[in-house]
Amino acid sequence: MTKQVNVIAPAKLNLTLDVTGILPDGYHSLDMIMQAITLYERVIVRKSQDIVLRLPGSRVAANQKNTAYKAAVEFLRYTGLLTGVEIEIHKITPVRAGMAGGSADAAAVLVGMNELYGAKLSMTELCAIGATIGADVPFALMGGTCRVQGKGDLMKALPPCPECWFVVVMPSVGVSTPEAFARYDQMGSSVHPDSQQAEQAIRQGDFVALCQSCGNALEECSGAEETPAIKERLCQYGAKTSLMTGSGAAVFGIFEQEELAKQAVVELRRQYRRVYLARPDRGGARVVPAFKSRPASQRPGGFRKR
């Protein structure tokens, strides 16, 4: 009998993000290309009679407001199971970064509990549960490359994006998502990326066209003061384009060549503590037999030039 399940859940980057209006429920309507990357939250779920949440080594609060806790509650409510779960999360994705770390945690709990208790819920059912927890949870379940619209509930799976490398830099200060959208409502944006054009570039496997299509309508109003300098440095080191992800504050560059990306990591870590090297991931939250050791390139400060 299975008593423990290990789950990895990829972080995400927004290759495009445009605000297209306001929905009747007050949420902003978005049009985005979202990409899962090889930077993983690591979640262990174990059978328990109560819901217990632990986040060893993390400053994130392990309380009932945590998305992982909410996911456990909603899973049990949906399935009617009269039990609990012990959740242990090893945080890797930066907080307040726009990389959906909390949503990845929730997705991992849903996938893990589905396996742990043999519930056999479909992806459609898991996404329906996930949507009640957070707008990015359905994508965290699906992963890969997706065109995402509405408030995150309308998803279309796309072919894998062209092979590339991502260098992600987390500034010293994070961004509040509600505050970023409030500033957008006041300021607007001069940036409105064409997600349809980006989708076409992905379907054609056109790396250059994809980079030309990238953009984020929230970047100008995020309040993240370090963004322009980080973008400039990423491009100096060889990124074909650079932009903020989500509502911020993480900034990433897209590199065609591995060596340039690795050199950028070395250089940027001279100034920024949290710099990550990643590639596109073709999946979402998923069960693994055991956790592999984390590559040095994904450990802040752990990558060194040879």
Side-chain angles (χ1 to χ4, degrees):
M1 180 180 293
T2 303
K3 295 184 178 179
Q4 174 177 311
V5 173
N6 303 315
V7 186
I8 58 171
K12 65 87 176 169
L13 296 175
N14 290 88
L15 303 183
T16 68
L17 189 160
D18 192 18
V19 181
T20 57
I22 303 292
L23 297 168
D25 58 7
Y27 281 92
H28 291 81
S29 176
L30 306 174
D31 190 2
M32 307 175 283
I33 303 290
M34 296 173 75
Q35 176 63 54
I37 63 171
T38 57
L39 183 66
Y40 305 112
E41 297 287 75
R42 301 180 177 205
V43 179
I44 302 170
V45 294
R46 303 182 181 95
K47 289 185 176 180
S48 172
Q49 290 305 305
D50 302 307
I51 299 178
V52 180
L53 176 61
R54 298 188 179 93
L55 292 97
S58 174
R59 295 182 180 180
V60 175
N63 56 31
Q64 295 181 10
K65 294 181 180 180
N66 190 287
T67 54
Y69 191 100
K70 292 178 180 178
V73 170
E74 293 304 319
F75 182 89
L76 294 174
R77 179 176 293 150
Y78 184 88
T79 59
L81 290 168
L82 300 177
T83 185
V85 66
E86 180 183 323
I87 306 162
E88 182 178 315
I89 301 175
H90 297 270
K91 293 291 296 178
I92 295 173
T93 304
V95 178
R96 293 164 67 97
M99 298 175 69
S103 295
D105 295 337
V109 169
L110 294 176
V111 168
M113 292 182 70
N114 197 36
E115 177 76 12
L116 187 68
Y117 288 114
K120 298 183 180 180
L121 300 186
S122 67
M123 177 60 74
T124 299
E125 289 176 294
L126 292 174
C127 286
I129 299 171
T132 69
I133 302 162
D136 287 339
V137 179
F139 174 76
L141 287 159
M142 288 270 295
T145 309
C146 286
R147 176 90 174 264
V148 182
Q149 295 174 290
K151 56 186 176 184
D153 54 334
L154 304 175
M155 292 190 299
K156 176 171 59 175
L158 301 179
C161 83
E163 288 297 316
C164 61
W165 294 81
F166 300 111
V167 175
V168 186
V169 182
M170 180 62 192
S172 56
V173 180
V175 168
S176 161
T177 297
E179 290 177 7
F181 277 102
R183 282 191 290 267
Y184 177 88
D185 290 339
Q186 294 175 346
M187 300 169 53
S189 174
S190 65
V191 177
H192 292 283
D194 187 338
S195 294
Q196 181 60 38
Q197 189 177 58
E199 176 182 335
Q200 190 65 26
I202 290 168
R203 292 189 181 280
Q204 294 174 348
D206 191 330
F207 175 80
V208 173
L210 174 60
C211 290
Q212 292 173 343
S213 303
C214 290
N216 187 334
L218 294 179
E219 191 174 294
E220 295 175 346
C221 56
S222 70
E225 297 179 357
E226 297 167 89
T227 299
I230 296 173
K231 288 177 60 178
E232 183 177 359
R233 292 197 65 187
L234 282 163
C235 290
Q236 286 175 350
Y237 295 135
K240 296 299 182 181
T241 191
S242 61
L243 64 155
M244 187 185 79
T245 182
S247 57
V251 178
F252 68 98
I254 306 178
F255 291 76
E256 193 169 18
Q257 298 178 19
E258 177 182 359
E259 287 307 311
L260 286 178
K262 288 184 174 180
Q263 183 61 34
V265 171
V266 172
E267 297 297 333
L268 286 159
R269 280 184 173 161
R270 301 181 195 280
Q271 182 176 353
Y272 301 97
R273 185 171 64 86
R274 292 173 291 179
V275 181
Y276 308 87
L277 180 66
R279 301 199 74 183
D281 190 288
R282 295 191 178 189
R286 54 197 182 267
V287 174
V288 293
F291 292 134
K292 297 179 181 179
S293 60
R294 185 154 51 116
S297 58
Q298 293 184 4
R299 296 193 294 268
F303 184 89
R304 292 290 180 266
K305 182 179 179 182
R306 296 186 178 183

